Amino acid sequence: MQAPRMRVAVWGNSRSGLNFARRLEWAGHTIERLEDPTQLDRFDTLILAVTARELEEAVRDVAKHVRPKQIVIHTSLLAGVEALDELEVRGCVTIAAAPLGDSYAVGALDEVAETVIGLLLSEIHQTSETVPEAQRAERAARLYYAEMLGALTAWASIKAKVIEDFGDSVFDLDAGDIIAAYPAAVELGMARNYRDVARMVGEQEKIEELELWALGKEAPWQNNS
């Protein structure tokens, strides 16, 4: 039996959030971009498609308009489910679900939330993984570095006419989270490579925020750590 179809609102523009929403739409759920939080009562689920540094403001934007038992999911690997505490105390079912390549890093506070995200991930053919809070930044730095390299490899393959396009490959390149994960890249000893790849990705993908950040970090007068 197919699980009930939901009306899902998307607040924000992060690639990881939009990609998650797109997959749910392919699974048969109705997806709508939320322009006005006062309209939240029309939806079963809310995806906060924002980076970790945008998450606190996004929670404030919607907090007065959520209702009990509404499902709220954020998709930044750098933040756990605790970032949604203000919504949880208002009765929402809160979930953190961030892409990890072939799985999702999941955080849930109770069995109801665990069941909900388990069903949703099964519908989009993904599995869940628990990532402890202390490991999130390191996992994020490694993942974002790999995704940036993947995007550059795909672009180079197109230029060399090895492939025609990306096909179904989607890279969750959110500049804000890539930048926020940089201190973990420094600790891992990969700071220079991380900056170099970020600059090239920013230039190729026309992500100005990322390109300018990387150029600033490369400047000799900057503290590059």
Side-chain angles (χ1 to χ4, degrees):
M1 178 183 292
Q2 187 182 53
R5 301 300 84 191
M6 298 188 300
R7 185 180 294 274
V8 181
V10 180
W11 181 250
N13 296 292
S14 72
R15 292 198 189 186
S16 60
L18 296 180
N19 289 341
F20 181 54
R22 188 177 303 114
R23 291 184 177 194
L24 292 180
E25 187 171 37
W26 292 341
H29 299 282
T30 300
I31 306 296
E32 294 184 31
R33 296 296 293 270
L34 183 65
E35 303 295 339
D36 182 355
T38 63
Q39 301 298 313
L40 263 176
D41 61 337
R42 299 191 295 110
F43 297 93
D44 306 298
T45 299
L46 169 64
I47 295 174
L48 293 176
V50 296
T51 61
R53 68 184 181 186
E54 298 167 334
L55 190 50
E56 183 177 354
E57 181 178 356
V59 169
R60 286 199 303 267
D61 288 339
V62 303
K64 294 181 180 179
H65 309 289
V66 295
R67 54 178 168 75
K69 299 185 179 180
Q70 201 164 35
I71 301 165
V72 182
I73 304 170
H74 86 73
T75 58
S76 173
L77 180 55
L78 286 166
V81 68
E82 295 79 9
L84 303 178
D85 279 351
E86 185 175 348
L87 307 182
E88 192 272 335
V89 298
R90 293 174 182 264
C92 294
V93 177
T94 54
I95 300 167
L100 282 173
D102 293 331
S103 64
Y104 271 70
V106 169
L109 296 177
D110 55 38
E111 291 184 2
V112 172
E114 290 176 357
T115 300
V116 168
I117 192 59
L119 289 172
L120 292 177
L121 291 180
S122 69
E123 289 185 346
I124 63 174
H125 310 292
Q126 295 285 300
T127 58
S128 64
E129 179 179 345
T130 300
V131 178
E133 186 72 23
Q135 298 178 17
R136 282 182 172 271
E138 179 180 328
R139 288 292 297 273
R142 294 184 186 278
L143 174 68
Y144 301 155
Y145 182 63
E147 287 189 334
M148 288 189 291
L149 285 176
L152 290 177
T153 299
W155 171 75
S157 297
I158 291 172
K159 288 292 186 181
K161 299 185 178 181
V162 176
I163 61 175
E164 292 184 1
D165 55 46
F166 284 10
D168 293 330
S169 297
V170 177
F171 301 100
D172 294 318
L173 302 176
D174 290 316
D177 277 349
I178 290 171
I179 293 168
Y182 177 68
V186 174
E187 293 177 3
L188 291 168
M190 53 189 281
R192 181 174 181 176
N193 289 343
Y194 193 93
R195 294 194 308 269
D196 289 345
V197 171
R199 176 182 52 77
M200 290 185 284
V201 166
E203 180 181 5
Q204 174 58 34
E205 296 289 322
K206 303 295 187 292
I207 307 175
E208 185 176 4
E209 178 187 8
L210 188 59
E211 182 182 8
L212 292 177
W213 168 82
L215 287 170
K217 280 294 181 181
E218 290 172 354
W221 58 86
Q222 292 284 344
N223 178 356
N224 289 341
S225 63

